[in-house]
């Protein structure tokens, strides 16, 4: 039974996972490299819970109770008594591996470990821990409090019991699960990111500008958000990382990251989080296309 959950990384994904876990009645420890970053994650949760209260989806009492279930930490040993720890750090394999090695030194032996990676091999990550049989990929969608789906990915060593415990955990969070094999980028990003990459190629080759491409896909394909707007929302560095995983993992030229995507990342134009990507978010009005 999972009663206490540790979250490593208090950014967009980590704070979202902590949010839904606390609302579901679980005790949560939200950890990041500094207490300031952990507190920023809690502030995001507070704001998002407030929006749910304003929309009548949550009572003020439930919001107060959820916030009361979240403890903050700036070190991994603070997660030692958790039943399940979910890593939600940056999409960088070396960073994740270093986290798991430190976590395994203090985590109790029967605890589960998960990665919220959106593309990296679960089998390979699990092999760096002391419990590959108790390790899984649990890929939440962004924004976590809104999106219903969680991808579950078993590593080669994951036991049936571990899978069922993770499935029960996701059910408790009122999430719908889709099971993916452990292939690069899994299901959602295997399909979504090449589409975004192709939209960037369409921009790069001058087929259409940012506004035309996003309008075409919103009104012509009934997408709620244009692919370039979505790339900015995801983060262009994350998009590039996933495309590199696909390109290297599947050795197929159709997954080659667009040079324009590489250029934007090199410039530090990462999308919403940096203030500029395919749109410029630094003004007070509506974001304006940068190409």
């Amino acid at each position: 039974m999972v009663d206490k959950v540790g979250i490593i990384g208090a950014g967009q994904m980590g704070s979202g996972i902590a949010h839904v876990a606390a609302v579901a009645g679980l005790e949560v420890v939200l950890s990041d490299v500094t207490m300031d970053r952990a507190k920023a994650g809690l502030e995001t949760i507070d704001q998002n819970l407030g929006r749910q209260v304003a929309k009548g989806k949550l009572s003020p009492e439930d919001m107060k109770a959820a916030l009361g279930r979240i403890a903050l930490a700036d070190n991994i040993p603070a997660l030692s008594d958790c039943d399940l720890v979910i890593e939600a750090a940056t999409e960088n394999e070396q960073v994740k591996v270093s986290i798991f090695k430190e976590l395994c030194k203090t985590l109790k032996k029967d605890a589960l470990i998960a990665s919220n990676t959106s593309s990296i091999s679960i089998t390979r990550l699990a092999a760096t821990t002391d419990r590959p049989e108790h390790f899984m990929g649990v890929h939440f969608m962004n924004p976590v409090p809104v999106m219903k789906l969680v991808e579950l990915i078993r590593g080669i060593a994951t036991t049936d019991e571990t899978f069922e415990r993770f499935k029960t955990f996701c059910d408790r969070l009122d999430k719908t699960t889709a099971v993916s094999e452990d292939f690069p980028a899994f299901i959602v990003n295997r399909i979504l990111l090449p589409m975004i990459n192709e939209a960037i190629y369409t921009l790069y080759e001058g087929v259409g500008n940012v506004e035309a491409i996003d309008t075409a896909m919103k009104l012509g394909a009934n997408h709620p958000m244009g692919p370039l707007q979505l790339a900015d929302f995801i983060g262009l560095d994350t998009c590039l990382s996933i495309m590199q995983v696909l390109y290297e993992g599947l050795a197929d030229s159709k997954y080659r990251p667009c040079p324009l995507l590489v250029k934007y990342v090199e410039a530090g134009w990462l999308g919403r989080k940096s203030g500029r990507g395919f749109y410029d978010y630094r003004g007070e009005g509506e974001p304006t296309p940068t190409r």
Side-chain angles (χ1 to χ4, degrees), residues 120-171:
I120 300 169
S121 167
I122 298 304
T123 295
R124 197 163 64 240
L125 290 176
T128 68
T129 75
D130 62 354
R131 64 196 77 197
E133 68 280 7
H134 296 320
F135 190 104
M136 273 194 69
V138 183
H139 179 213
F140 289 81
M141 303 295 123
N142 187 32
V144 179
V146 176
M147 302 294 280
K148 289 286 290 183
L149 184 72
V150 176
E151 284 183 310
L152 291 180
I153 309 99
R154 297 175 69 147
I156 196 170
T158 307
T159 65
D160 290 342
E161 179 188 0
T162 295
F163 174 82
E164 291 302 327
R165 288 178 71 187
F166 274 109
K167 178 68 167 59
T168 299
F169 167 71
C170 292
D171 289 344

Side-chain angles (χ1 to χ4, degrees), residues 12-87:
Q12 201 169 41
M13 296 304 298
S15 63
I17 298 167
H19 174 142
V20 296
V23 169
L26 295 163
E27 295 296 319
V28 177
V29 181
L30 181 61
S31 174
D32 213 310
V33 292
T34 67
M35 191 57 75
D36 283 346
R37 290 176 68 165
K39 288 177 180 177
L42 184 61
E43 288 172 7
T44 298
I45 295 169
D46 189 26
Q47 292 168 4
N48 289 336
L49 286 169
R51 291 189 185 97
Q52 289 182 317
V53 170
K55 293 177 180 178
K57 295 181 177 181
L58 199 69
S59 71
E61 294 76 20
D62 287 341
M63 174 179 170
K64 183 178 180 180
L67 289 170
R69 295 186 190 103
I70 302 172
L72 302 181
D74 60 0
N75 63 88
I76 287 178
L79 311 174
S80 61
D81 64 340
C82 291
D83 304 309
L84 161 63
V85 174
I86 301 172
E87 169 274 315

